[in-house]
Amino acid sequence: MPDEHLTEIRFGIYATPDDAARITEGCGAVLRESGVAHELSLTGPERTASAEDMPLTEVYDELPEQWRLQHSATDPGSRRIHEIRIGLATGHPESAPIRDALTRVICPDPEHPSPCPIPWSSSSEAAGERQYGHLLRR
């Protein structure tokens, strides 16, 4: 199958390790329910720069600042930047409802006053077979 049937969704979150694990577990439940072949991973702040990737602290540098603006007198404690990566074996348009459901794991109430309690951002793009091709063979 051509590459356009592979999509990667990335969520950057500024969260405690417990919140990052809880959100990742919730994303896993959404993905299992969707029935779409997928791969889910959680990367912590220790990810270092490689030829392909910038350090997470650079990719999501706005997230700690968002949190500090709302909690200026509070120590961030164990909050760090984490990234949830999801590979999907589905076309980009078909990934939109799944992405919406995943977003609700992070932000259950999209109508709440901004900002979110856990700062986050996301991106989605077509992915290549090198990283997620095994999903097409399931």
Side-chain angles (χ1 to χ4, degrees), residues 1-137:
M1 289 187 176
D3 290 350
E4 63 265 20
H5 292 285
L6 295 170
T7 301
E8 182 176 69
I9 300 170
R10 294 181 184 192
F11 291 102
I13 56 175
Y14 184 64
T16 66
D18 288 344
D19 284 337
R22 178 184 53 76
I23 290 168
T24 303
E25 287 173 23
C27 288
V30 166
L31 293 165
R32 287 188 299 277
E33 186 176 303
S34 77
V36 172
H38 65 276
E39 181 178 308
L40 171 69
S41 66
L42 173 65
T43 304
E46 70 285 345
R47 186 179 91 186
T48 58
S50 69
E52 299 175 7
D53 295 321
M54 290 179 13
L56 290 180
T57 55
E58 289 180 30
V59 176
Y60 301 108
D61 63 345
E62 77 282 1
L63 299 179
E65 185 61 26
Q66 286 177 20
W67 190 87
R68 281 197 256 337
L69 288 173
Q70 290 299 117
H71 306 91
S72 59
T74 306
D75 184 319
S78 63
R79 285 173 186 79
R80 301 290 181 266
I81 295 172
H82 302 269
E83 183 179 67
I84 299 168
R85 284 191 185 190
I86 301 162
L88 298 174
T90 184
H92 194 74
E94 292 84 16
S95 68
I98 296 170
R99 182 177 173 171
D100 290 345
L102 292 167
T103 299
R104 294 302 142 252
V105 172
I106 302 168
C107 181
D109 178 12
E111 302 301 320
H112 73 83
S114 290
C116 287
I118 296 176
W120 63 280
S121 67
S122 68
S123 64
S124 176
E125 62 187 33
E129 284 196 34
R130 191 188 78 186
Q131 185 171 3
Y132 296 114
H134 63 282
L135 296 175
L136 296 172
R137 295 182 278 282

